[in-house]
Amino acid sequence: MRRGFVPFSKIVIVLFLLILSQGTAVAEQPLTSEVAAVAAAPIEQALRDITSEDAAVRSAAAALLIAQGDASLLPTLDAIRAEADRATRQAIKPVIDLLKNHANLTSAQSDTRRSAAADLVGTGHPEAIIWLEEAAAKEPVWWVKYTMEESAQLLRLRADAHAVRVGAVKKLGELRSQNGLSALKELVEAGVQSGATDEQRALADAAHASIGQIDMWSWWAGAIETLFRGISLSSILLMMSLGLAIVFGLMGVINMAHGELMMVGAYATFVTQQAFVGWVSPELFDWYFPAALPVAFLAAAAFGWVLEATVIRFLYGRLLETLLATWGVSLILMQAARVYFGDLTAVIAPQALRGGAQVMVGVYLPYNRIFIILLSIVCVLGIYFLLFRSNLGIRVRSVTQNRNMSACLGIPTRKVDSYTFAFASGLAGIAGWALTMVGNVDPGLGQNYIVDAFMVVVTGGVGKLAGTIWASLGIGGLNKLIEPVSGAVYGKVFILVGVILFLQWRPQGLFAAKGRNADA
């Protein structure tokens, strides 16, 4: 046989196979279309039956649409519902809700997926259990996955099988489910009644054990959240007290207008926000908040510099006069803010500071509070490096310890006073900038914190950075610890009495002043 020659029989076989394969593909196409048509037929019939006058037919149609339908049916169902009578709308509504939530379980937004999982519990439909379990198996966000698992177990509590219900009760206890607590208590109440069956008593025992797990975890979660709130309040007091401690320790001035300087920073933030609303595109709106930081600092520092130059400079060494004068200035600033801005304004939090982190079951930490804690740490580090790692800090500390000797060494004490007072006022402005994230801006904003700030300064030791930190942690933590028991008003009274008793025992505070002028 010659090389490269193909027998005729092989050519015939290859052509036959090609024709056969094409014929098979052509034959498969109508078969696939036929299968699709058969699958679509019950759904189409159910869409017609959902408008039937027979309630049983409508219920059967709704059940079939829920079991076999998907989100693609929603436009058709909405159109039918818009033109239907009341009975049909009532039959269609749960179908639409279930199909929407089923589709939202695979949404790109984690909040949408979690909301859909929580909404499926209210439907009470058993088929949602399978949807939730399938979605939970693929869910990457642990808190959304937890909600899906919790919702599936809450639906299992309504099952007919006793073993399924017992398993759901135990699983809810393992999940520390707060949402399942009321249902578990109902099972306990049903199991202790006189006519309870053995199954009900078994469910009650399992529910009682799960309630114990949930209650124990709730106690720990409450303790963690109380600790976090205490640290958050301590951070606010710390930022408020840092500038006050510097001014009080350096110049011996009781500045009752320090809270109003914080108010100036808050209103500077509000003005910056309104400027962005009027002059900047909406896409860049959230950038108003970082832009407001230097504005708040400089505005409060400018007010402080003017206050020192016009009032406080002439009252050094006269504590009562500075107290009365700065108290009068605080009243003027509050009334001016009330006249110009009104009684209440609000700052919109940027998107990054909205919401919070669910760090564990029952423990939710708001982003704005976390931000304030981190900001207070940055402020403390900044002040430490300024006072203890810079030439300006050496001058400030020298004037604090011995003003006359510092003047003899050529340090301009008047300028140091002026710059330090302006810097301390700027710190108050930063505190006001941060406080806009946790409350409204009003003329009395500073009055809510000024007394606590003075208690922090006096308790920690005048002019002592470490004392201010520890005192703010103590007073803020005790405040949040006592509030749930005695209320906010009595809590502050108890803390004030405690501070007075502490100062009777240790008049110089936690950290006594050192230097030539320190008391023996």
Side-chain angles (χ1 to χ4, degrees):
M1 183 180 295
R2 287 180 299 175
R3 194 171 188 177
F5 179 75
V6 180
F8 180 75
S9 60
K10 290 185 177 181
I11 296 175
V12 173
I13 292 172
V14 170
L15 291 174
F16 176 75
L17 291 175
L18 289 173
I19 294 171
L20 182 63
S21 63
Q22 290 179 356
T24 304
V26 171
E28 286 178 352
Q29 184 173 1
L31 181 62
T32 303
S33 301
E34 183 178 351
V35 171
V38 171
I43 294 178
E44 293 177 356
Q45 182 62 40
L47 290 174
R48 290 191 292 269
D49 291 343
I50 199 73
T51 60
S52 172
E53 296 181 357
D54 191 342
V57 174
R58 289 198 303 269
S59 298
L64 189 144
L65 290 174
I66 292 171
Q68 300 184 15
D70 53 31
S72 62
L73 298 178
L74 291 175
T76 304
L77 291 171
D78 287 332
I80 295 174
R81 185 185 179 189
E83 300 177 358
D85 56 9
R86 183 173 180 271
T88 302
R89 290 198 301 270
Q90 289 179 340
I92 290 177
K93 185 180 185 304
V95 178
I96 293 176
D97 292 341
L98 279 165
L99 293 181
K100 281 183 178 179
N101 287 322
H102 187 192
N104 287 337
L105 288 177
T106 58
S107 171
Q109 301 294 327
S110 59
D111 290 340
T112 303
R113 298 195 300 271
R114 180 170 176 261
S115 177
D119 290 343
L120 283 172
V121 178
T123 63
H125 204 279
E127 291 194 1
I129 298 174
I130 300 175
W131 303 343
L132 290 166
E133 290 178 344
E134 291 177 351
K138 304 175 184 177
E139 179 57 50
V141 181
W142 80 269
W143 181 238
V144 178
K145 183 176 182 178
Y146 172 86
T147 305
M148 292 175 177
E149 293 176 349
E150 180 188 50
S151 299
Q153 300 307 321
L154 289 173
L155 287 172
R156 287 184 184 276
L157 282 180
R158 307 174 187 178
D160 296 329
H162 174 69
V164 174
R165 299 182 71 190
V166 171
V169 168
K170 293 180 179 179
K171 186 64 176 178
L172 287 174
E174 295 173 2
L175 292 173
R176 276 68 173 174
S177 171
Q178 286 291 330
N179 293 326
L181 199 57
S182 60
L184 293 176
K185 289 181 178 178
E186 291 178 0
L187 292 177
V188 171
E189 293 175 358
V192 298
Q193 293 179 358
S194 58
T197 63
D198 292 339
E199 291 185 351
Q200 287 178 324
R201 284 193 288 270
L203 275 173
D205 292 339
H208 183 73
S210 295
I211 290 173
Q213 290 178 300
I214 296 172
D215 288 342
M216 178 60 70
W217 182 256
S218 297
W219 188 90
W220 283 107
I224 293 172
E225 286 197 336
T226 300
L227 177 63
F228 175 77
R229 288 195 298 269
I231 295 174
S232 175
L233 178 59
S234 300
S235 301
I236 295 173
L237 292 178
L238 179 59
M239 288 191 295
M240 180 72 176
S241 304
L242 285 173
L244 197 61
I246 293 173
V247 170
F248 199 10
L250 176 63
M251 293 174 284
V253 173
I254 301 177
N255 182 16
M256 293 298 295
H258 196 76
E260 279 58 52
L261 294 173
M262 185 177 72
M263 177 197 70
V264 169
Y267 276 115
T269 306
F270 172 73
V271 171
T272 305
Q273 172 193 266
Q274 297 305 106
F276 267 69
V277 170
W279 301 332
V280 180
S281 63
E283 293 79 10
L284 301 176
F285 173 76
D286 283 350
W287 287 99
Y288 87 88
F289 191 64
L293 173 59
V295 176
F297 178 84
L298 293 176
F303 269 88
W305 184 82
V306 172
L307 178 62
E308 194 277 336
T310 57
V311 178
I312 293 176
R313 178 170 296 183
F314 306 102
L315 300 174
Y316 285 133
R318 298 152 64 181
L319 291 180
L320 182 59
E321 284 83 348
T322 57
L323 186 150
L324 293 174
T326 54
W327 180 59
V329 171
S330 71
L331 295 178
I332 294 172
L333 290 176
M334 281 194 295
Q335 189 60 33
R338 184 171 287 108
V339 170
Y340 189 79
F341 292 102
D343 289 329
L344 188 66
T345 54
V347 173
I348 301 174
Q351 190 65 38
L353 296 181
R354 299 175 191 172
Q358 193 80 39
V359 294
M360 59 183 69
V361 179
V363 179
Y364 182 81
L365 305 182
Y367 290 137
N368 54 2
R369 297 283 182 173
I370 297 174
F371 169 76
I372 288 176
I373 293 173
L374 296 177
L375 178 65
S376 66
I377 295 173
V378 172
C379 289
V380 169
L381 294 176
I383 291 175
Y384 172 79
F385 283 104
L386 178 66
L387 292 180
F388 298 97
R389 293 292 185 270
S390 68
N391 292 331
L392 177 60
I394 293 174
R395 294 186 178 188
V396 171
R397 287 186 290 120
S398 66
V399 173
T400 302
Q401 294 181 16
N402 196 318
R403 177 180 296 273
N404 293 331
M405 183 61 72
S406 300
C408 292
L409 292 175
I411 296 177
T413 56
R414 288 295 189 186
K415 287 186 178 180
V416 171
D417 291 341
S418 180
Y419 296 156
T420 305
F421 196 92
F423 176 73
S425 302
L427 289 176
I430 292 178
W433 169 73
L435 280 177
T436 58
M437 294 297 100
V438 297
N440 294 320
V441 181
D442 61 86
L445 177 66
Q447 297 298 312
N448 299 327
Y449 299 97
I450 187 64
V451 175
D452 289 340
F454 268 108
M455 286 195 296
V456 167
V457 172
V458 175
T459 305
V462 177
K464 293 298 178 180
L465 181 61
T468 303
I469 295 172
W470 285 109
S472 63
L473 287 173
I475 291 177
L478 285 175
N479 201 326
K480 290 301 178 182
L481 188 64
I482 296 174
E483 267 187 11
V485 179
S486 62
V489 176
Y490 285 106
K492 290 185 179 294
V493 172
F494 290 148
I495 291 174
L496 179 59
V497 172
V499 169
I500 293 173
L501 295 176
F502 174 79
L503 293 177
Q504 290 294 320
W505 169 64
R506 193 177 178 87
Q508 293 180 330
L510 290 173
F511 294 85
K514 297 180 181 180
R516 294 181 182 271
N517 293 338
D519 294 334

